[in-house]
Amino acid sequence: MSKGRAEAAAGAPGILLRYLQEQNRPYSAQDVFGNLQREHGLGKAAVVKALEQLAQQGKIKEKTYGKQKIYFADQDQFDMVSDADLQGLDAKIVALTANVQSLQQSCRHMEAELKELTSALTTPEMQKEIQELKKECAGYTERLKNIKAATNHVTPEEKEQVYRERQRYCKEWRKRKRMATELSDAILEGYPKSKKQFFVSGALPSLLPWGLHPGRSHLLVSLPHRRKLG
């Protein structure tokens, strides 16, 4: 046993006696050891020995419940408490409990406020963000200026004409596809090979003339003079 541990063990009875008197509630040896180990550096064996010694000397009381022993301060050393005193203590407990709840609620509010302030941008960060936004706005302003100054805008009439032509070509595409499908189905009824081999052989022209696809804008891309749609 080290010198420090030996000194702690020697002073254990006094430490445990004061602790049980101050707390005035029953404890097992394990409870006392767990509560005082870090503060006083007491070992489990020293705690058990000190409690048994105090019980033998009559300074504390010992009760056995099954295999466990419970230790508590001798109640004869305390003054008798009247009903009025107990009521006063109960009222004090209620008041203290309400005060604790109020303080806890206040702490929660302050923690939420602290979290909000911590997540907020600092003044230098906000200044940097403002400069970046100003730079971005200047870029958009210049871009808008160039768009307004351009002379190659598509008029609403031209735009409408492009859409009408697209719809006409898509309608024609669907018509030709339906015709080609009906034709291929008729041929495949007596064709000795599979449908895939039939199309791969090139026996039927492409079903997609001019690269048109329903629902796509290939027509707009293939116009000879592309201009921005306004």
Side-chain angles (χ1 to χ4, degrees):
M1 180 182 296
S2 64
K3 182 178 179 181
R5 181 63 63 87
E7 292 177 353
I15 295 173
L16 300 186
L17 180 60
R18 287 193 302 271
Y19 179 75
L20 292 177
Q21 290 176 344
E22 291 172 358
Q23 300 300 318
N24 194 24
R25 55 173 296 179
Y27 287 104
S28 66
Q30 181 62 39
D31 294 335
V32 176
F33 168 70
N35 295 340
L36 300 179
Q37 177 190 18
R38 179 173 299 180
E39 181 179 357
H40 298 283
L42 297 174
K44 177 71 175 295
V47 169
V48 173
K49 182 178 179 180
L51 289 173
E52 291 177 349
Q53 179 182 342
L54 291 171
Q56 292 175 359
Q57 294 173 352
K59 296 180 180 180
I60 63 174
K61 296 297 183 180
E62 175 186 282
K63 291 283 186 179
T64 301
Y65 295 94
K67 296 181 179 180
Q68 188 177 38
K69 292 183 179 180
I70 300 298
Y71 302 91
F72 54 92
D74 186 359
Q75 300 301 299
D76 294 338
Q77 63 182 313
F78 299 111
D79 297 333
M80 294 295 295
V81 180
S82 63
D83 292 340
D85 293 335
L86 291 175
Q87 292 176 358
L89 290 174
D90 290 339
K92 186 177 181 180
I93 290 173
V94 171
L96 290 174
T97 301
N99 187 32
V100 168
Q101 293 176 349
S102 176
L103 291 174
Q104 288 175 339
Q105 184 176 3
S106 178
C107 286
R108 286 193 292 269
H109 288 318
M110 288 188 287
E111 287 176 353
E113 184 177 359
L114 176 61
K115 183 177 180 180
E116 182 178 355
L117 293 174
T118 303
S119 61
L121 295 175
T122 62
T123 300
E125 291 174 340
M126 293 183 68
Q127 292 174 344
K128 181 179 179 181
E129 183 74 14
I130 290 173
Q131 293 300 322
E132 292 177 353
L133 289 175
K134 286 182 177 179
K135 183 178 179 181
E136 186 177 352
C137 288
Y140 287 135
T141 302
E142 182 66 21
R143 182 179 176 185
L144 180 60
K145 180 180 177 181
N146 295 334
I147 293 174
K148 289 182 177 180
T151 58
N152 62 342
H153 293 291
V154 175
T155 64
E157 292 77 12
E158 292 174 322
K159 179 180 177 181
E160 183 63 26
Q161 181 181 356
V162 169
Y163 284 135
R164 285 199 301 269
E165 290 181 357
R166 177 182 181 276
Q167 291 175 355
R168 181 167 60 86
Y169 284 122
C170 288
K171 183 178 180 180
E172 184 66 22
W173 179 88
R174 295 189 184 94
K175 179 180 178 182
R176 294 193 178 194
K177 180 183 178 182
R178 183 174 62 255
M179 295 170 60
T181 301
E182 292 174 354
L183 178 60
S184 64
D185 289 343
I187 295 174
L188 286 171
E189 289 181 0
Y191 191 71
K193 299 182 180 179
S194 66
K195 183 176 181 181
K196 181 177 180 181
Q197 291 174 327
F198 170 70
F199 284 107
V200 172
S201 67
L204 194 67
S206 173
L207 300 182
L208 302 177
W210 310 310
L212 294 178
H213 297 262
R216 300 185 183 177
S217 302
H218 292 283
L219 177 60
L220 301 180
V221 177
S222 63
L223 290 176
H225 300 287
R226 293 178 58 199
R227 291 191 292 177
K228 187 178 297 182
L229 297 179

